[in-house]
Amino acid sequence: MSRAIRIYRVAAAAALRYNVRSLFSDNSFAASVTVDSEETGLYGFPVLKTAKGFRRFVDEAIESAGELASRISQMPPSEEVINAMDEISNTVCSVIDSAELCRNTHPDREFVEEANKASMRISEYLHFLNTNHTLYNAVLMSEQEGSIQSEEARRAAHSLRIDFEKGGIHLPAEKLERVNQLNTQIALLGRQFNENIITDPGHVDVFPASCIPRNMQHHFKPIYRQFLPVDNEPLGLRDKKKEKGFRLVTESSSLSSILKWVSDAEVRKQTYIIGNSVPRANLCVIDKLISSRHELAQIMGCRSYAEFAIRPNMAASPDVVMDFLLTLSNMVRLRADAEFKLIQDYKRTVDNDVRADPEPWDEAYLTGRMKSSACDLDSLVIASYFPTFQCLEGLKLLVQSVFGVTFSSMPFSPGESWHPDVMKLLLHHPQEIVALVCNFPNSRGSSISKLNHWDVETLFHEFGHALHSLFSRTDYQHFSGTRVVLDFAETPSNLFEYYAWDYRVLKTFARHYSTGEVIPEKLVDSMNRARNMFSAMELQRQILYSLIDLTLFGEQPSTPMDTISIVADLKRQCTSWKHVEGTHWHTRFSHLINYGAGYYSYLYAKCFASTIWEKVCRDDPLSLSTGTAIRTKLLQHGGAKDPSNLLRDLAGHSILRSYNGGIVPDTSSLCKEMNL
């Protein structure tokens, strides 16, 4: 589910979706104020005119937060305590998000290093705040005794108290100390997991060079080896002859391209096996992560880490999630098996072997060929209708039609940007002004930058996240935009993916880069047919990922689990595909780190988005009335209201149902959409 294009909010500064389970940060687009002046600094912060400005940035945030904390200690239980806590949160988040954005995007090494240092310093201070009993007691007393008037303030007080207690502040001293140790250990394990992926991507040496399609060869490093000796060949001549090949580094994006486009089955096999067998060091990391999270959950009074992680969400318990996943798995199984049979028949035909079975390294290649053949598709032809500048025009037209706002480019103030290719986009509403920062492919020379349709879908997905933040109008930044429960957060982004596939939307901006021809409706129909050809297997794959995530962090057996066996068994149980012995692809599945028993959230969002599209958007997706309903009933409330109430208000009570103490989405719209 990773996405290639990122959109960052700068409505009040830089922003990045920052994944830390703590009181003052979460998966969200955070913000601070963009300053329009002749001289400013990075992201609009005057203090960030130089890389070393991050040091002062942290100093000022700590000083400001300290003053607020001191004031809170003198306040009686009241709504003012919650307001001051929210201000501390905003102050600290401004530094965290700016540092994260910088260290992930800035081309200058000095800025990256200073942002790293700032991130570590502010994280240490964050730990101090999260273990501050004075602040916790102030929030606790305000929730229990304070005369808090507004519903949002009461919800904020409750949320802040729960966030404090996630860190164990309510526990006896010895247990709190152990919780702190475990949280530190878990953070370090997550960092090690990601570092191992980078340092050990694996590689395969392929000979001869002709095994790799010519249009892909420039992506790989050429290598050479001596030809095998030929009988009676002179020794000197033999030494001079070398065979050219390529070294294929099997990091995720390269592996994906190889498996999709390389016709040589042996090359696909070798890259699949190597790419899914590294980094082996992460097997130990995952074992330690499972153990640490389980101990943490037990100290917190939970049977498993899955229970600890899911309890605050709509689902409320692992049992609810497991039943949802297994029900969905059973619903999709027959259709997925039929799709597998199509692939099997196709392979047997092209291989002229009635006993041939599809291997895991065949899936992307064979399904790609089948889609292209059945739907008469050419990826280069599709991309020709999506030049980057036209896709931006599409977003402009979309937000103007659906939300009644204008969308335009605007210049950076000196020092505000981090690269000359970055653009700043302004969204203007009669009562609101905000800005976005977007990353897009750069044009090379005189060529026109174009997006493949996957990138277009990604753009609309991320734009859904951005709009969730941009239209948010909450009293507390603690609830702003995507700062919602995890199994609701992906709903707007999944909803906006539908816009990237609807011809009524695409015809407003998708034009051929050279002729200006509007994308043909027949081509869009073919794209949608190809999209649906193996949609059951794709849904099955997401169910499998969710089950693996839930099982690994669920209740633990008496002896340490063998994660390779668990992953292999679940794959055999839930899909028609084989498990390849010796592989362990989950050692590169970073969602185990970032989500930890929360990957099911994507499937919740998929179901919610499908219902919203059918009930609210499908008849007239570009109407202002549709946009007004989405904005006023869903997006503008962020996390300030119960998400189940927001969803019901927008799409009707049938969008979800109560089940075993939790909430599960209705699947009927998704089933209808997929012809299940």
Side-chain angles (χ1 to χ4, degrees), residues 42 58 74 119 144 158 188 205 262 282 306-307 314 339 376 428 430 435 483 489 545 553 584 643:
L42 194 62
V58 176
Q74 306 299 319
S119 181
Q144 293 177 348
H158 177 77
L188 291 174
D205 291 343
V262 174
N282 274 352
E307 181 181 325
M314 284 193 289
E339 292 175 357
D376 191 24
H428 180 267
R483 296 181 175 189
Y545 293 168
F553 297 112
H584 41 82

Side-chain angles (χ1 to χ4, degrees), residues 204 248 250 255 258-259 267-275:
V204 175
L248 279 53
T250 55
L255 178 61
I258 293 163
L259 294 177
V267 172
R268 295 200 309 271
K269 177 181 178 179
Q270 292 303 317
T271 54
Y272 178 92
I273 291 173
I274 295 298

Side-chain angles (χ1 to χ4, degrees), residues 387-399 407 508-509:
T388 301
F389 71 91
Q390 281 296 131
C391 293
L392 289 177
E393 286 299 314
L395 291 182
K396 292 180 184 180
L397 293 169
L398 177 64
V399 297
F407 189 23
T508 66
F509 72 90

Side-chain angles (χ1 to χ4, degrees), residues 491-506:
T491 299
S493 56
N494 273 263
L495 175 62
F496 276 88
E497 287 184 24
Y498 283 91
Y499 281 85
W501 290 94
D502 193 287
Y503 179 69
R504 292 166 295 179
V505 177
L506 294 179

Side-chain angles (χ1 to χ4, degrees), residues 347-359:
K347 180 177 173 64
R348 290 176 175 179
T349 299
V350 297
D351 288 359
N352 195 25
D353 182 352
V354 296
R355 292 179 297 179
D357 284 326
E359 301 287 353

